[in-house]
Amino acid sequence: MNNNIYFLIEIIFLAFFLLWFVLHITDRRRVFNGLAFFVSLGSLWTLLFLIGYINDIKILNIITGAIILAVIILLPILYIIGIIVLFTTGRTVIKREGFSLSHVLSILLGVGIISSSFILPIFIDKIKSKVLIGVMGFFITVFSYFVLGFIIFLTSSLIYNLWYEKRNKDYLIVLGAGLSGDKVTPLLAGRIDKAIEFYNSQKEKGVKPPKIIMSGGQGPDEVVSEALAMKNYALEMNIPEEDILMEDKSTNTEENLKFSTDLIKKDSDKDNPEVLFFTTNYHVLRAGILAKSLELNYNGLGSKTKFYYYVSAIIREYIGIIYLNLSKNILFAIFIGIIYFVNYII
């Protein structure tokens, strides 16, 4: 292989390495960004390997070899840790928050991973019917597709939360999350605190502080609207009343964003004001994707939540993402499952 071909291959892998940076900077509200991140890491490794191999650079050969060895060692360790985390956090969230379907999601995922990794393959070895083995392989393939999708979504969500937002915002939208009586819950307080922290940091930089929109209607079991309870909390935290707006009609995230946007259009004297929304860290990517679907150029920041709750919540968010394109996800999963089935039978 001549030097021109080597150079072309290196350029291709350099382009793949830069893929994630380009996608993330242009719009980080994509689940695909998580896949692009892994492709970029793999491309960087391949690029370093090629440079070291072609130019006989021993230090690069050692580095790329060590990386592969570390991955081989870490993968089974991460698998075991992941299973332990799914079961222990599931048990904890049920113990502290009560039993519900959403609270057992992490346990169900753990059972599914163990079954597809060990239990079903053991049965496959003992079954003589190719059709039955093909059917079992079909379900393992479909389940694996959704597990891989979850890993990509989780990666995208974690990366999304690392972004630094410029202190130049005109409006901050705080998404509601239920009340305890007429008071905000600790989870909702975390969202408001995150917005207040941003508000104060922008003010400290000498920039005009943004207005904070408290967004949330009054549910059938709530004594006041979420927006009013959120406003009262912010007032207790010394936010001036003139810097607080209330959107008290919404019942879900999509309405939070739509109705708050209507309020901004009425209040703002700018054509394109800078807007940032605040929610909990596990919810911020899906809220961003919803904003994108509404053609709103909004990004968000997420407040922290307890780790035991985060695991089940991020699985629930992933299910919400699947639901946004339910037919496409199911059809593609079935398609690759059928490919496995037909390939095995033939």
Side-chain angles (χ1 to χ4, degrees), residues 15-228:
F16 276 116
F17 169 59
L18 296 174
L19 173 66
W20 175 77
F21 294 95
V22 173
L23 290 174
H24 194 65
I25 290 172
T26 54
D27 191 349
R28 67 186 197 274
R29 301 171 298 175
R30 299 187 187 97
V31 175
F32 180 76
N33 287 3
L35 178 59
F37 176 74
F38 288 118
V39 171
S40 295
L41 289 182
S43 298
L44 175 60
W45 179 89
T46 306
L47 181 63
L48 293 175
F49 172 79
L50 285 173
I51 294 173
Y53 174 77
I54 295 168
N55 300 287
D56 194 25
I57 303 175
K58 292 183 179 180
I59 185 64
L60 280 183
N61 293 333
I62 293 172
I63 291 173
T64 53
I67 291 173
I68 284 294
L69 182 61
V71 169
I72 293 172
I73 294 172
L74 283 175
L75 280 179
I77 295 174
L78 291 175
Y79 175 90
I80 294 171
I81 292 174
I83 294 295
I84 293 172
V85 166
L86 288 173
F87 280 101
T88 56
T89 56
R91 179 178 176 274
T92 303
V93 75
I94 291 172
K95 184 178 179 180
R96 298 189 182 185
E97 307 289 340
F99 181 86
S100 69
L101 179 59
S102 64
H103 292 162
V104 298
L105 287 175
S106 62
I107 294 176
L108 292 176
L109 179 58
V111 170
I113 292 173
I114 292 175
S115 298
S116 61
S117 302
F118 297 108
I119 298 175
L120 290 181
I122 290 173
F123 278 105
I124 286 176
D125 289 339
K126 297 181 179 180
I127 296 173
K128 295 181 180 180
S129 171
K130 292 189 69 174
V131 174
L132 186 54
I133 293 174
V135 170
M136 294 177 70
F138 168 86
F139 285 109
I140 291 175
T141 302
V142 170
F143 178 74
S144 299
Y145 164 76
F146 287 110
V147 170
L148 179 60
F150 172 69
I151 293 172
I152 291 170
F153 171 73
L154 176 62
T155 303
S156 299
S157 182
L158 292 173
I159 293 172
Y160 188 102
N161 278 282
L162 296 176
W163 189 266
Y164 176 83
E165 285 288 345
K166 293 180 180 179
R167 269 51 180 176
N168 64 344
K169 303 299 181 283
D170 299 300
Y171 295 91
L172 309 179
I173 302 173
V174 185
L175 308 184
L179 302 176
S180 176
D182 61 347
K183 304 294 183 181
V184 299
T185 61
L187 185 142
L188 183 51
R191 298 180 181 188
I192 303 170
D193 289 340
K194 189 77 174 178
I196 291 174
E197 178 186 341
F198 190 96
Y199 173 96
N200 289 329
S201 65
Q202 180 165 314
K203 189 175 181 180
E204 289 169 1
K205 286 182 176 293
V207 182
K208 181 183 177 181
K211 291 186 177 181
I212 304 177
I213 300 175
M214 303 302 181
S215 180
Q218 183 175 350
D221 59 341
E222 294 176 332
V223 296
V224 297
S225 70
E226 293 175 6
L228 179 58

Side-chain angles (χ1 to χ4, degrees), residues 293-314:
S293 71
L294 296 170
E295 299 183 350
L296 301 173
N297 190 28
Y298 301 170
N299 275 295
L301 291 179
S303 60
K304 294 181 180 179
T305 189
K306 294 178 180 178
F307 180 71
Y308 76 84
Y309 188 80
Y310 175 87
V311 177
S312 289
I314 197 70

